[in-house]
Amino acid sequence: NAGVTQTPKFQVLKTGQSMTLQCAQDMNHEYMSWYRQDPGMGLRLIHYSVGAGITDQGEVPNGYNVSRSTTEDFPLRLLSAAPSQTSVYFCASSYSTGGLYGYTFGSGTRLTVV
Amino acid sequence: AQSVAQPEDQVNVAEGNPLTVKCTYSVSGNPYLFWYVQYPNRGLQFLLKYITGDNLVKGSYGFEAEFNKSQTSFHLKKPSALVSDSALYFCAVRASGGSYIPTFGRGTSLIVHP
């Protein structure tokens, strides 16, 4: 099925460990983004990309890195995990940056940092 | 700057009754407005959008939303609620034109009682 695929679905990390959250889409969308969802905070934009080779920071970029080597993939890297990064992470994609046709979201990665 | 407020953390309604989930916004110029729904353990799904034209917008699953420019509001409505409508609802806003990225609200939990 066409859509946005995120892996893993669940992850527990120890403080200081690193990991990469994977995101892939098969809709040929130029725009991709990462959000974190925390209770009472809604969705906050971490990083986004408007095409292969182009990335930019969102509202809460500290502690996260991204790269976009292909149109399909947009991984999110945590270099040294901290308990404050415990959250649910969503990847989203769209034909356009502004989401005029709606964003397509993945099913999320629930990350716990202990 | 753009912002969106969802003044109710939770809305309770009996099945068969009409429902309203409130959203107010602030943006420079004309707004583009969106509603998304999130079912438990799933990513967000696009419901509907207002770009221009008729102030009453119809979307998926029988939902509609009314744009009110003077009150800077975009409330989500449904004439007859179903238990299966129970979910988390997010309003989003962006400025028209350009490639602005939408800002999401904190979300409103809708609970429909049998």
Side-chain angles (χ1 to χ4, degrees), chain A residues 4-6 22-25 32-35 74 89-93 104-109:
Chain A
V4 177
T5 303
Q6 289 184 239
Q22 301 291 344
C23 176
Q25 53 91 9
M32 296 185 74
S33 56
W34 278 100
Y35 289 88
F74 190 44
Y89 292 85
F90 289 99
C91 180
S93 72
T104 301
F105 283 81
S107 58
T109 295

Side-chain angles (χ1 to χ4, degrees), chain A residues 31 35 37 40-43 45 48 88 90 96-108 110, chain B residues 32 34 36 38 41-46 49 51 88 90 94 98-107:
Chain A
Y31 178 80
Y35 289 88
Q37 183 180 26
M41 301 294 290
L43 288 174
L45 182 64
Y48 65 96
V88 181
F90 289 99
S96 66
T97 301
L100 290 184
Y101 302 99
Y103 288 159
T104 301
F105 283 81
S107 58
R110 186 174 296 273
Chain B
Y32 291 166
F34 309 86
Y36 285 80
Q38 184 183 29
N41 300 312
R42 302 289 298 275
L44 279 69
Q45 297 177 32
F46 174 73
K49 67 183 179 186
I51 303 299
L88 193 57
F90 290 92
R94 53 155 284 194
S99 299
Y100 300 103
I101 298 172
T103 297
F104 285 83
R106 296 186 175 186

